[in-house]
Amino acid sequence: MDRIRVLRAGIESVVLVAIAHATGRSPPELIDLLQLMPPSPGTTFRKGARLTTEQSERVLAFLRLIERVEAMVTSGGDDRAFDAARWLGDWLTTPCPALGGQRPAVLTDTLEGYRVLDHLLAQMLSGAYA
């Protein structure tokens, strides 16, 4: 219920700065990567502003993908030198054979797209990735 309350209220846009830093990207690059549209054309997210519920859901879905990658690495053994957030940021921008050569980031505009990405990561863990 706490997550639902946060989503309804909207995640504070300042969180994007922390996520951008973790992924090795600038806030504008992260906004583009996650396909988060600013409040109106030609503007940016203001300090203290909140994301919409839809944008907040997509940010939360992105954070879940980072958790998925961290779990994959942890289950595989030594994870001391692995940066899941940075790896995910890079993976999203790299053409993927399993997606017909498209970048995984093309799917970040919908929650269903995030489900597809999560499933793809799970396939990578199981060895069924193509």
Side-chain angles (χ1 to χ4, degrees):
M1 292 305 290
D2 288 337
R3 284 187 182 197
I4 291 171
R5 269 192 294 280
V6 168
L7 290 171
R8 287 180 178 156
I11 293 173
E12 291 185 44
S13 61
V14 71
V15 170
L16 296 175
V17 175
I19 297 170
H21 178 71
T23 60
R25 295 191 160 36
S26 69
E29 289 173 320
L30 180 71
I31 289 167
D32 184 52
L33 182 67
L34 301 184
Q35 301 185 56
L36 301 173
M37 299 303 295
S40 59
T43 65
T44 58
F45 292 103
R46 300 179 326 278
K47 187 175 182 177
R50 293 190 174 272
L51 303 177
T52 66
T53 298
E54 178 186 353
Q55 292 167 329
S56 297
E57 286 179 323
R58 293 199 333 247
V59 169
L60 184 61
F62 179 74
L63 294 174
R64 284 188 185 130
L65 288 182
I66 293 172
E67 289 173 357
R68 162 74 78 184
V69 172
E70 287 174 344
M72 289 168 58
V73 173
T74 300
S75 71
D78 185 9
D79 64 341
R80 286 177 283 158
F82 187 78
D83 187 336
R86 192 170 293 260
W87 182 89
L88 184 64
D90 291 342
W91 179 72
L92 288 172
T93 60
T94 304
C96 179
L99 296 174
Q102 294 184 87
R103 297 177 12 227
V106 301
L107 300 175
T108 62
D109 62 333
T110 65
L111 291 180
E112 186 59 29
Y114 277 101
R115 286 184 195 97
V116 169
L117 295 175
D118 184 62
H119 182 71
L120 189 56
L121 289 170
Q123 286 180 316
M124 291 168 73
L125 178 61
S126 73
Y129 174 72

